[in-house]
Amino acid sequence: MPVSQGCILEQIDQFADLVPEEKALLLQLEKDPKRYAAQTCLCAAGEEAERFYTLRSGWACAVRDLADGRRQVLDIFLPGQILGLREMGFNEARSDFVALTDIEACPFPRRQLTEVFEQAPRLASLFFLILAREQSMLVERIINIGRRPAAERLAHFLLEMKVRLQRPSEEVRLPMNQSVLGDALGMSAVHVSRSFSQLRKRDLISTEDGAIRIKDMDGLVRFSGFHQAYLDCEANWVKSASLGCAEEAS
């Protein structure tokens, strides 16, 4: 019987062709879906990090709150991603994980990843690639916030989200208000609004009914200095690795 496709499989299929045994193990991480309303905090900073969450639908984010009430959005999670992977070396959560929209997510115990890796060692390499890609996005976000002017910063973010969403159209919908966008880009909501105005005046984008349409893709790329390479992990060394699961090798 063929294994049905899950969100995490769609993500990992970008890196390597999985054998049925590997697919079955990954689907175990999505076997207990739960629904969470927008703004729900799935796990708060300082809490014991007992589980990860596979995001099946909707958008979520990782947030760090500062003592003076300001906050920084560290990650934007899309369907297929696992919330909390980058913090797997800590006993306590280092950030809040919050639903940006109504979401469906599958919690699973941290120890289950160890069991998956023991049964299918190649999956450990594939998860390493996922972590490398997330780290690459975080590094690019640091550069974006630290060195790019506000309008360029926003333009770069829009292009990143378009690539990550894998949408063929020129329209991008972000289920984030300007306050959350500002927290992701290190700007105030007012500054975000002004940056949108600058991009419209340059005739790079248009906005209507919550949708952002990219009118000049090449121009937006040049303006923001966007290079997609940081989103494209090299997976040849994993593809050439043994496909067998642990029990097949025994």
Side-chain angles (χ1 to χ4, degrees):
M1 180 179 298
V3 180
S4 59
Q5 188 81 345
C7 285
I8 191 171
L9 295 187
E10 294 178 7
Q11 294 289 319
I12 292 184
D13 273 349
Q14 300 174 44
F15 300 123
D17 294 327
L18 301 177
V19 298
E21 292 81 4
E22 290 171 325
K23 292 183 179 182
L25 285 168
L26 290 177
L27 286 173
Q28 289 298 307
L29 305 181
E30 296 187 67
K31 68 178 182 179
D32 187 24
K34 299 183 184 300
R35 296 186 180 277
Y36 302 88
Q39 307 307 316
T40 299
C41 181
L42 282 69
C43 180
E47 291 183 356
E48 185 176 358
E50 298 178 320
R51 59 185 63 86
F52 297 119
Y53 296 83
T54 301
L55 187 61
R56 296 192 66 179
S57 65
W59 291 40
C61 65
V63 180
R64 178 73 64 83
D65 289 314
L66 304 182
D68 61 3
R70 291 176 298 171
R71 66 178 190 170
Q72 180 69 48
V73 172
L74 301 171
D75 296 289
I76 306 293
F77 297 106
L78 303 180
Q81 289 188 266
I82 297 179
L83 281 61
L85 270 185
R86 201 171 55 240
E87 300 187 354
M88 65 189 304
F90 299 91
N91 292 325
E92 295 182 351
R94 304 297 300 155
S95 37
D96 298 341
F97 294 93
V98 180
L100 285 172
T101 65
D102 292 346
I103 66 172
E104 186 177 44
C106 307
F108 63 91
R110 289 163 61 110
R111 66 178 181 276
Q112 192 169 346
L113 271 187
T114 302
E115 297 168 1
V116 167
F117 297 158
E118 286 175 347
Q119 295 181 62
R122 188 176 68 140
L123 290 179
S125 298
L126 291 169
F127 271 76
F128 183 87
L129 281 178
I130 291 172
L131 279 170
R133 186 173 186 259
E134 291 188 1
Q135 186 71 8
S136 178
M137 287 191 287
L138 185 60
V139 168
E140 194 69 21
R141 193 162 297 122
I142 291 171
I143 296 170
N144 208 21
I145 292 173
R147 292 301 177 187
R148 291 188 177 102
E152 293 178 21
R153 200 181 307 175
L154 175 61
H156 192 280
F157 181 80
L158 294 177
L159 288 167
E160 177 183 301
M161 296 312 301
K162 183 181 185 305
V163 172
R164 292 178 61 192
L165 288 166
Q166 298 181 336
R167 300 279 168 77
S169 72
E170 303 309 313
E171 184 177 287
V172 180
R173 286 187 175 270
L174 302 178
M176 308 159 62
N177 59 33
Q178 292 189 349
S179 177
V180 175
L181 263 177
D183 291 338
L185 298 175
M187 303 190 293
S188 68
V190 172
H191 215 164
V192 171
S193 179
R194 290 174 180 167
S195 297
F196 269 116
S197 295
Q198 289 183 47
L199 297 182
R200 286 193 295 264
K201 286 179 181 177
R202 289 175 174 269
D203 208 29
L204 296 173
I205 68 168
S206 63
T207 55
E208 185 176 359
D209 296 330
I212 303 162
R213 189 172 72 85
I214 299 174
K215 299 177 67 176
D216 181 357
M217 178 65 71
D218 292 338
L220 197 65
V221 168
R222 287 193 300 271
F223 177 73
S224 64
F226 181 80
H227 297 284
Q228 186 177 328
Y230 74 97
L231 296 171
D232 300 327
C233 280
E234 175 58 59
N236 288 337
W237 62 279
V238 176
K239 291 178 181 178
S240 63
S242 172
L243 297 180
C245 292
E247 62 183 35
E248 294 177 331
S250 60

